[in-house]
PDB file of all heavy atoms in Angstrom:
ATOM      1  N   GLN A 356      27.809  -2.931  -0.845  1.00 79.00           N
ATOM      2  CA  GLN A 356      27.827  -4.169  -1.592  1.00 79.00           C
ATOM      3  C   GLN A 356      28.143  -5.378  -0.775  1.00 79.00           C
ATOM      4  O   GLN A 356      27.514  -6.378  -1.035  1.00 79.00           O
ATOM      5  CB  GLN A 356      28.942  -3.959  -2.707  1.00 79.00           C
ATOM      6  CG  GLN A 356      28.965  -5.079  -3.689  1.00 79.00           C
ATOM      7  CD  GLN A 356      29.875  -4.817  -4.870  1.00 79.00           C
ATOM      8  OE1 GLN A 356      30.521  -5.671  -5.436  1.00 79.00           O
ATOM      9  NE2 GLN A 356      29.896  -3.553  -5.327  1.00 79.00           N
ATOM     10  N   SER A 357      29.094  -5.330   0.073  1.00 73.00           N
ATOM     11  CA  SER A 357      29.414  -6.547   0.933  1.00 73.00           C
ATOM     12  C   SER A 357      29.069  -6.245   2.337  1.00 73.00           C
ATOM     13  O   SER A 357      29.649  -5.403   3.001  1.00 73.00           O
ATOM     14  CB  SER A 357      30.899  -6.815   0.762  1.00 73.00           C
ATOM     15  OG  SER A 357      31.314  -7.839   1.659  1.00 73.00           O
ATOM     16  N   ALA A 358      27.982  -6.890   2.789  1.00 66.00           N
ATOM     17  CA  ALA A 358      27.512  -6.636   4.169  1.00 66.00           C
ATOM     18  C   ALA A 358      28.614  -6.938   5.215  1.00 66.00           C
ATOM     19  O   ALA A 358      28.697  -6.228   6.230  1.00 66.00           O
ATOM     20  CB  ALA A 358      26.226  -7.460   4.490  1.00 66.00           C
ATOM     21  N   MET A 359      29.364  -8.008   5.054  1.00 65.00           N
ATOM     22  CA  MET A 359      30.342  -8.435   6.035  1.00 65.00           C
ATOM     23  C   MET A 359      31.428  -7.303   6.154  1.00 65.00           C
ATOM     24  O   MET A 359      31.905  -7.033   7.205  1.00 65.00           O
ATOM     25  CB  MET A 359      31.005  -9.746   5.709  1.00 65.00           C
ATOM     26  CG  MET A 359      31.849 -10.466   6.775  1.00 65.00           C
ATOM     27  SD  MET A 359      30.742 -10.812   8.183  1.00 65.00           S
ATOM     28  CE  MET A 359      31.995 -10.908   9.446  1.00 65.00           C
ATOM     29  N   ASP A 360      31.823  -6.720   5.055  1.00 76.00           N
ATOM     30  CA  ASP A 360      32.824  -5.731   5.063  1.00 76.00           C
ATOM     31  C   ASP A 360      32.317  -4.407   5.563  1.00 76.00           C
ATOM     32  O   ASP A 360      33.013  -3.584   6.140  1.00 76.00           O
ATOM     33  CB  ASP A 360      33.398  -5.464   3.677  1.00 76.00           C
ATOM     34  CG  ASP A 360      34.153  -6.703   3.074  1.00 76.00           C
ATOM     35  OD1 ASP A 360      34.644  -7.458   4.004  1.00 76.00           O
ATOM     36  OD2 ASP A 360      34.279  -6.851   1.877  1.00 76.00           O
ATOM     37  N   ALA A 361      30.961  -4.156   5.369  1.00 82.00           N
ATOM     38  CA  ALA A 361      30.431  -2.842   5.800  1.00 82.00           C
ATOM     39  C   ALA A 361      30.055  -2.876   7.322  1.00 82.00           C
ATOM     40  O   ALA A 361      29.958  -1.787   7.901  1.00 82.00           O
ATOM     41  CB  ALA A 361      29.103  -2.571   5.061  1.00 82.00           C
ATOM     42  N   LEU A 362      29.901  -4.070   7.957  1.00 89.00           N
ATOM     43  CA  LEU A 362      29.571  -4.145   9.362  1.00 89.00           C
ATOM     44  C   LEU A 362      30.816  -4.159  10.162  1.00 89.00           C
ATOM     45  O   LEU A 362      31.862  -4.681   9.786  1.00 89.00           O
ATOM     46  CB  LEU A 362      28.703  -5.349   9.628  1.00 89.00           C
ATOM     47  CG  LEU A 362      27.339  -5.394   8.940  1.00 89.00           C
ATOM     48  CD1 LEU A 362      26.643  -6.777   9.015  1.00 89.00           C
ATOM     49  CD2 LEU A 362      26.394  -4.253   9.439  1.00 89.00           C
ATOM     50  N   ASN A 363      30.749  -3.686  11.443  1.00 91.00           N
ATOM     51  CA  ASN A 363      31.813  -3.761  12.400  1.00 91.00           C
ATOM     52  C   ASN A 363      31.893  -5.124  13.021  1.00 91.00           C
ATOM     53  O   ASN A 363      30.948  -5.519  13.676  1.00 91.00           O
ATOM     54  CB  ASN A 363      31.708  -2.604  13.473  1.00 91.00           C
ATOM     55  CG  ASN A 363      32.927  -2.462  14.256  1.00 91.00           C
ATOM     56  OD1 ASN A 363      33.564  -3.416  14.653  1.00 91.00           O
ATOM     57  ND2 ASN A 363      33.204  -1.219  14.555  1.00 91.00           N
ATOM     58  N   PRO A 364      32.990  -5.877  12.903  1.00 91.00           N
ATOM     59  CA  PRO A 364      32.993  -7.266  13.393  1.00 91.00           C
ATOM     60  C   PRO A 364      33.083  -7.418  14.878  1.00 91.00           C
ATOM     61  O   PRO A 364      32.918  -8.470  15.424  1.00 91.00           O
ATOM     62  CB  PRO A 364      34.274  -7.887  12.742  1.00 91.00           C
ATOM     63  CG  PRO A 364      35.140  -6.620  12.462  1.00 91.00           C
ATOM     64  CD  PRO A 364      34.203  -5.449  12.207  1.00 91.00           C
ATOM     65  N   VAL A 365      33.431  -6.290  15.597  1.00 94.00           N
ATOM     66  CA  VAL A 365      33.685  -6.443  17.044  1.00 94.00           C
ATOM     67  C   VAL A 365      32.600  -5.702  17.841  1.00 94.00           C
ATOM     68  O   VAL A 365      32.732  -5.631  19.069  1.00 94.00           O
ATOM     69  CB  VAL A 365      35.039  -5.818  17.436  1.00 94.00           C
ATOM     70  CG1 VAL A 365      36.131  -6.683  16.792  1.00 94.00           C
ATOM     71  CG2 VAL A 365      35.214  -4.356  17.058  1.00 94.00           C
ATOM     72  N   ILE A 366      31.521  -5.280  17.263  1.00 94.00           N
ATOM     73  CA  ILE A 366      30.424  -4.637  17.895  1.00 94.00           C
ATOM     74  C   ILE A 366      29.185  -5.423  17.653  1.00 94.00           C
ATOM     75  O   ILE A 366      28.857  -5.740  16.482  1.00 94.00           O
ATOM     76  CB  ILE A 366      30.280  -3.228  17.456  1.00 94.00           C
ATOM     77  CG1 ILE A 366      31.529  -2.329  17.850  1.00 94.00           C
ATOM     78  CG2 ILE A 366      29.018  -2.561  18.146  1.00 94.00           C
ATOM     79  CD1 ILE A 366      31.413  -0.897  17.387  1.00 94.00           C
ATOM     80  N   PRO A 367      28.285  -5.770  18.632  1.00 95.00           N
ATOM     81  CA  PRO A 367      27.084  -6.468  18.469  1.00 95.00           C
ATOM     82  C   PRO A 367      26.140  -5.727  17.392  1.00 95.00           C
ATOM     83  O   PRO A 367      26.171  -4.490  17.398  1.00 95.00           O
ATOM     84  CB  PRO A 367      26.392  -6.570  19.811  1.00 95.00           C
ATOM     85  CG  PRO A 367      27.641  -6.427  20.736  1.00 95.00           C
ATOM     86  CD  PRO A 367      28.587  -5.470  20.115  1.00 95.00           C
ATOM     87  N   VAL A 368      25.370  -6.485  16.741  1.00 94.00           N
ATOM     88  CA  VAL A 368      24.619  -5.913  15.610  1.00 94.00           C
ATOM     89  C   VAL A 368      23.548  -4.878  16.157  1.00 94.00           C
ATOM     90  O   VAL A 368      23.319  -3.818  15.497  1.00 94.00           O
ATOM     91  CB  VAL A 368      23.925  -6.981  14.820  1.00 94.00           C
ATOM     92  CG1 VAL A 368      24.876  -7.913  14.146  1.00 94.00           C
ATOM     93  CG2 VAL A 368      22.969  -7.781  15.563  1.00 94.00           C
ATOM     94  N   GLY A 369      22.998  -5.149  17.293  1.00 94.00           N
ATOM     95  CA  GLY A 369      22.027  -4.222  17.867  1.00 94.00           C
ATOM     96  C   GLY A 369      22.749  -2.912  18.189  1.00 94.00           C
ATOM     97  O   GLY A 369      22.117  -1.843  18.023  1.00 94.00           O
ATOM     98  N   GLU A 370      23.939  -2.974  18.737  1.00 95.00           N
ATOM     99  CA  GLU A 370      24.688  -1.809  19.071  1.00 95.00           C
ATOM    100  C   GLU A 370      25.007  -0.918  17.813  1.00 95.00           C
ATOM    101  O   GLU A 370      25.017   0.344  17.893  1.00 95.00           O
ATOM    102  CB  GLU A 370      25.972  -2.131  19.840  1.00 95.00           C
ATOM    103  CG  GLU A 370      26.726  -0.964  20.310  1.00 95.00           C
ATOM    104  CD  GLU A 370      26.073  -0.179  21.387  1.00 95.00           C
ATOM    105  OE1 GLU A 370      25.166  -0.708  22.089  1.00 95.00           O
ATOM    106  OE2 GLU A 370      26.294   1.001  21.509  1.00 95.00           O
ATOM    107  N   GLN A 371      25.258  -1.572  16.666  1.00 94.00           N
ATOM    108  CA  GLN A 371      25.569  -0.827  15.472  1.00 94.00           C
ATOM    109  C   GLN A 371      24.332  -0.111  15.000  1.00 94.00           C
ATOM    110  O   GLN A 371      24.440   0.997  14.585  1.00 94.00           O
ATOM    111  CB  GLN A 371      25.981  -1.807  14.352  1.00 94.00           C
ATOM    112  CG  GLN A 371      27.330  -2.457  14.746  1.00 94.00           C
ATOM    113  CD  GLN A 371      27.894  -3.317  13.613  1.00 94.00           C
ATOM    114  OE1 GLN A 371      28.043  -2.784  12.448  1.00 94.00           O
ATOM    115  NE2 GLN A 371      28.176  -4.501  13.855  1.00 94.00           N
ATOM    116  N   ILE A 372      23.135  -0.573  15.273  1.00 95.00           N
ATOM    117  CA  ILE A 372      21.859   0.168  14.946  1.00 95.00           C
ATOM    118  C   ILE A 372      21.718   1.295  15.880  1.00 95.00           C
ATOM    119  O   ILE A 372      21.404   2.401  15.518  1.00 95.00           O
ATOM    120  CB  ILE A 372      20.626  -0.804  14.947  1.00 95.00           C
ATOM    121  CG1 ILE A 372      20.803  -1.897  13.920  1.00 95.00           C
ATOM    122  CG2 ILE A 372      19.396   0.022  14.692  1.00 95.00           C
ATOM    123  CD1 ILE A 372      19.623  -2.855  13.989  1.00 95.00           C
ATOM    124  N   ARG A 373      21.977   1.040  17.161  1.00 95.00           N
ATOM    125  CA  ARG A 373      21.818   2.075  18.162  1.00 95.00           C
ATOM    126  C   ARG A 373      22.847   3.214  17.934  1.00 95.00           C
ATOM    127  O   ARG A 373      22.447   4.439  18.115  1.00 95.00           O
ATOM    128  CB  ARG A 373      21.948   1.520  19.567  1.00 95.00           C
ATOM    129  CG  ARG A 373      20.874   0.544  19.957  1.00 95.00           C
ATOM    130  CD  ARG A 373      20.796   0.150  21.399  1.00 95.00           C
ATOM    131  NE  ARG A 373      22.018  -0.618  21.824  1.00 95.00           N
ATOM    132  CZ  ARG A 373      22.054  -1.918  21.797  1.00 95.00           C
ATOM    133  NH1 ARG A 373      21.055  -2.613  21.320  1.00 95.00           N
ATOM    134  NH2 ARG A 373      23.134  -2.598  22.214  1.00 95.00           N
TER     135      ARG A 373
END
Side-chain angles (χ1 to χ4, degrees):
Q356 187 169 145
S357 175
M359 194 62 200
D360 294 337
L362 297 171
N363 192 319
V365 297
I366 297 178
V368 298
E370 184 65 24
Q371 295 188 54
I372 298 177
R373 296 193 289 273

